[in-house]
Amino acid sequence: MSIMSPSSNKKTVLIIDDQPKNLQLAAYVLSPYYELVLVNNGAKGIKMAIEKMPDLILLDIMMPEMSGYEVCSTIKSNPLIDSIPIIFLTAKVAEEDLINAFEVGGVDYVTKPFRAKELLLRVKTQITLRDSLQKIKRYNDNLKALNENKDNLFSAVAHDLKGSSNQIASLIDIILDNLTSTLDGSEIKKPLALLKDSTYRNKELVTDLLDWSKNRFNSDETVQDEFKVSDIVNKVVDQLKPQIQEKKISIINEVDPDKILNTDKGAIGFVCRNILANAIKFTHENGKIKFSNFQTDMYNVIAVADDGVGMKQDTIDNLFSKTTSASLDGTLGEKGTGIGIKLCMDFIKKLGGHLKIDSKIGKGTTIQLWIPNLQNPKERESDNFSTAAFN
């Protein structure tokens, strides 16, 4: 009974040997199960390893001009191909020779003349092992990305809560300052009402963020909700009302009241809230922030425009950088994490959309949120539209 079955999705094996008979025999044994690339010297083998990126290399030790040891060392010094496992084909079984084979990077060896079943088993074992290691690496990379997103989310949640918490603390100070032994309650009715309002918004914000994050990190499926754009805008404006009132900023809402989206409502709310928070942060007192929307053939677009301090192009570029993160103080010295917009970009990318930023120093900033208007998430485009600025 055969130890292997031919597969329609064959792995590729590169065989490097200067003896035609060895190449023919190896090809006879392996060709039913693998795609083969055959070369007769070390230099060609290195070139084909780079071009073909095989899943495994069978490498003869004794070759003219360039030995198998030299070929293996060269391959292992090249980061493009250093992860390809190499099995040596050798007639030399002395301990020193085998030690040399492992020291230069070989993972196994087959003695010549080789037996068909042994060759198949050793090749299969190393290719399976490599597939497993690659799968583990992908899992680790995904886990790392998930942890980074989780950390960023927690930072963004803390950032969102900070403004509301500061407002609550300030209102409590006002109430305490107005307390007297002959208190009739009239002096603190207004701050108490504001305190109640701020506490309610804080609770609502926490509930929204935690419910959404729980859903986001516990499911790989795309969430699709049906909701009005105007509802999202009204909600985030209400949630950030204390900051808006503190800076006496005018909110202009030109969003179509009847426009409906089909996408992840929690993600869109999170992104809109963070974009508005940044607009508030960098808008002067008595400034203006405008919400609007429009539609193209493939996208629904929500725009948030402020008349604040604006940004230089290198600052915009840094926002789209995966490695650079900077936090700038707002017009009243407000602090930030520097990751809010980056996290927004990540969320929208996962929905198949992208952000566009247009800004001029002293003139203000417009951020556009481009959301696919396709009903079927599988039809959504990938992240090919991560545009850093308007053309």
Side-chain angles (χ1 to χ4, degrees), residues 3-217:
I3 62 172
M4 294 183 64
S5 299
S7 170
S8 59
N9 184 22
K10 292 182 178 180
K11 301 289 186 177
T12 300
V13 176
L14 169 61
I15 307 176
I16 308 171
D17 195 315
D18 66 316
Q19 296 296 320
K21 288 184 179 180
N22 291 334
L23 290 175
Q24 291 172 1
L25 181 55
Y28 174 78
V29 173
L30 298 175
S31 60
Y33 313 103
Y34 300 100
E35 294 290 343
L36 301 181
V37 180
L38 310 178
V39 296
N40 60 7
N41 66 68
K44 288 181 182 178
I46 295 170
K47 180 180 178 183
M48 294 308 296
I50 296 173
E51 289 183 6
K52 300 296 185 179
M53 297 297 293
D55 297 282
L56 181 136
I57 297 173
L58 290 174
L59 176 60
D60 185 25
I61 290 181
M62 301 300 294
M63 294 186 295
E65 299 181 7
M66 195 175 192
S67 72
Y69 298 135
E70 294 174 297
V71 173
C72 185
S73 295
T74 301
I75 290 174
K76 293 303 174 181
S77 66
N78 187 331
L80 294 176
I81 52 176
D82 64 349
S83 65
I84 301 173
I86 297 175
I87 296 177
F88 279 104
L89 300 173
T90 180
K92 304 177 70 175
V93 292
E95 181 179 354
E96 182 179 353
D97 296 321
L98 297 180
I99 289 174
N100 288 337
F102 288 114
E103 284 182 341
V104 296
V107 295
D108 202 353
Y109 68 92
V110 178
T111 57
K112 295 189 291 187
F114 50 78
R115 295 181 292 273
K117 183 175 290 189
E118 178 188 6
L119 179 63
L120 280 172
L121 281 172
R122 291 184 182 273
V123 169
K124 180 183 179 182
T125 297
Q126 292 302 327
I127 289 181
T128 301
L129 179 60
R130 187 190 191 218
D131 286 346
S132 298
L133 291 174
Q134 289 178 333
K135 185 178 294 185
I136 291 172
K137 184 181 183 302
R138 287 194 298 270
Y139 286 154
N140 286 337
D141 290 343
N142 289 338
L143 181 61
K144 182 180 177 181
L146 187 62
N147 283 330
E148 289 176 353
N149 284 341
K150 179 195 68 176
D151 292 342
N152 287 342
L153 178 64
F154 288 162
S155 295
V157 169
H159 179 263
D160 278 356
L161 294 177
K162 185 177 180 181
S164 182
S165 299
N166 287 340
Q167 178 77 5
I168 292 173
S170 297
L171 291 169
I172 291 174
D173 287 338
I174 293 173
I175 293 170
L176 292 174
D177 289 342
N178 282 279
L179 287 176
T180 65
S181 58
T182 59
L183 181 68
D184 62 7
S186 60
E187 296 92 344
I188 63 170
K189 283 185 177 180
K190 183 175 180 180
L192 275 175
L194 292 173
L195 178 59
K196 179 181 178 181
D197 192 39
S198 293
T199 304
Y200 174 79
R201 289 195 184 93
N202 215 26
K203 178 183 176 182
E204 186 180 48
L205 180 60
V206 171
T207 301
D208 285 351
L209 287 172
L210 295 183
D211 284 350
W212 179 82
S213 62
K214 181 180 179 181
N215 178 279
R216 185 75 183 96
F217 288 110

Side-chain angles (χ1 to χ4, degrees), residues 76 89 91 114 168 175 203 231 238 264 270 289 300-301 316 361 367 377 380:
K76 293 303 174 181
L89 300 173
F114 50 78
I168 292 173
I175 293 170
K203 178 183 176 182
D231 290 343
D238 187 58
D264 188 333
F270 182 92
I289 298 175
N300 287 292
V301 183
I316 297 175
I361 293 295
I367 298 182
R380 289 175 176 164

Side-chain angles (χ1 to χ4, degrees), residues 345-358:
M345 293 173 184
D346 181 59
F347 291 163
I348 295 307
K349 181 193 291 186
K350 289 173 182 175
L351 297 179
H354 56 283
L355 296 183
K356 287 185 178 182
I357 301 176
D358 183 33

Side-chain angles (χ1 to χ4, degrees), residues 282-341:
F282 296 109
T283 298
H284 296 289
E285 290 184 283
N286 300 304
K288 296 179 181 179
I289 298 175
K290 182 175 73 172
F291 282 88
S292 60
N293 72 299
F294 62 90
Q295 182 174 334
T296 69
D297 289 341
M298 297 183 62
Y299 292 92
N300 287 292
V301 183
I302 302 172
V304 184
D306 64 63
D307 58 0
V309 298
M311 293 182 286
K312 296 180 180 179
Q313 185 58 47
D314 59 351
T315 302
I316 297 175
D317 294 338
N318 285 339
L319 290 176
F320 285 83
S321 169
K322 292 184 178 180
T323 57
T324 305
S325 182
S327 177
L328 303 175
D329 290 348
T331 56
L332 291 182
E334 304 99 317
K335 302 295 182 181
T337 62
I339 54 89
I341 293 296

